[in-house]
Amino acid sequence: MLLADNLNQLLEILPEFVSKPLRKDEARTQLIEIVLDIGRRPEARFATETKYLSYKTITWQDIEYILKRLGKFSGDNRAEKQKSILLLGRPGVGKTTAIRDGNLPHPSIGKARRMQVRNPQNQHQVMIEAVENHMPEIIVIDEIGTELEAAAARTIAERGVQLVGTAHGSALDNLIKNPTLTDLIGGIQYVTLGDEEARRRGSSKSILERKAPPTFEVAVEIHNPKTWVTTFFYKNAN
């Protein structure tokens, strides 16, 4: 199917420097796709050729502009609920710097509110209060460090709110072995397999499996400011 089938709707959500050349292009009825890669010039791919639409390169602000006009995506690979992201690293590596800009919300996150946690021991309560009283789409949590905070994070995720959080740990292995925080990525448990299942898997009868769906679907290990390692967790995988 050609994008031209819904071209007018598509052009309405694009920045003008992208949409204007397309409106004027006589080949627009043969449009197959538009490529918008950050740092590169926008391209239009037609049935017989590819054209640049502008000398201007795509920025994060251009993508943000489009996403705000798209609304919610459906679950058929056109979009999905944004994944919750956990930043993991040793103290001082830059986790907090990555999620906030000093004492004020970063301008890029619009009308976000910052909720004060007067007593660190009450952070889990403030997390739940944020969901119950403010109907957020995203909650950003700095330093998830207790079992109560891990449980609050799971409760928030199960209510459909996206999470962005940080936790101490030099690598993902540390988090898996940490009994307080392992639930953030689903936890682990020993499972005993039957003889037939063990043969089918080619494994021993006693194995480790994930205990529950992960609270965070993405973990980012920050080794240093220039080295970040990303791991994706799938809810139906062990």
Side-chain angles (χ1 to χ4, degrees):
M1 185 181 77
L2 299 179
L3 278 185
D5 295 339
N6 302 101
L7 184 58
N8 289 333
Q9 290 175 284
L10 176 64
L11 295 179
E12 289 298 321
I13 66 170
L14 297 175
E16 187 177 3
F17 75 94
V18 177
S19 63
K20 189 174 180 179
L22 281 170
R23 294 182 192 276
K24 295 179 178 180
D25 198 316
E26 294 181 358
R28 63 184 178 276
T29 56
Q30 297 299 310
L31 181 65
I32 295 174
E33 65 177 348
I34 299 169
V35 181
L36 304 176
D37 289 333
I38 294 173
R40 296 182 177 179
R41 295 164 62 188
E43 294 181 18
R45 294 179 180 172
F46 300 88
T48 58
E49 62 179 332
T50 298
K51 297 179 182 178
Y52 285 116
L53 298 173
S54 173
Y55 284 101
K56 181 179 177 181
T57 58
I58 297 296
T59 66
W60 280 109
Q61 288 78 12
D62 297 323
I63 300 299
E64 191 99 0
Y65 176 93
I66 294 168
L67 290 176
K68 287 179 179 178
R69 284 154 180 76
L70 278 175
K72 299 294 183 183
F73 286 86
S74 63
D76 60 357
N77 205 31
R78 307 210 174 168
E80 58 184 39
K81 169 187 170 287
Q82 294 293 310
K83 293 184 178 358
S84 292
I85 302 171
L86 180 67
L87 303 181
L88 189 66
R90 57 181 172 74
V93 78
K95 301 184 300 296
T96 298
T97 303
I99 64 170
R100 75 181 191 194
D101 182 16
N103 293 322
L104 299 174
H106 193 279
S108 67
I109 56 176
K111 296 182 179 179
R113 294 186 58 194
R114 183 177 184 186
M115 297 188 66
Q116 298 293 332
V117 181
R118 298 184 182 280
N119 185 338
Q121 294 181 349
N122 296 333
Q123 175 159 284
H124 65 286
Q125 296 176 347
V126 177
M127 291 163 62
I128 296 299
E129 178 189 339
V131 176
E132 293 179 343
N133 296 343
H134 301 285
M135 296 186 297
E137 294 180 0
I138 303 170
I139 291 182
V140 180
I141 310 155
D142 192 18
E143 299 294 358
I144 299 173
T146 70
E147 193 169 345
L148 288 173
E149 289 165 7
R154 175 166 292 280
T155 298
I156 291 168
E158 289 173 348
R159 295 186 186 187
V161 177
Q162 181 191 0
L163 291 165
V164 177
T166 70
H168 285 314
S170 58
L172 193 56
D173 285 348
N174 301 135
L175 192 63
I176 293 172
K177 296 173 183 176
N178 184 332
T180 301
L181 300 180
T182 186
D183 185 58
L184 296 175
I185 54 173
I188 56 173
Q189 62 183 353
Y190 278 101
V191 175
T192 301
L193 304 177
D195 293 337
E196 184 176 340
E197 179 65 14
R199 282 195 298 271
R200 187 183 70 81
R201 296 191 183 196
S203 67
S204 62
K205 293 181 65 174
S206 183
I207 63 171
L208 280 173
E209 286 191 347
R210 194 171 67 200
K211 189 189 315 184
T215 300
F216 290 88
E217 294 98 337
V218 181
V220 179
E221 301 172 48
I222 304 179
H223 294 179
N224 58 61
K226 294 184 178 181
T227 306
W228 295 23
V229 178
T230 303
T231 302
F232 293 87
F233 303 104
Y234 297 94
K235 295 201 172 185
N236 297 322
N238 291 319

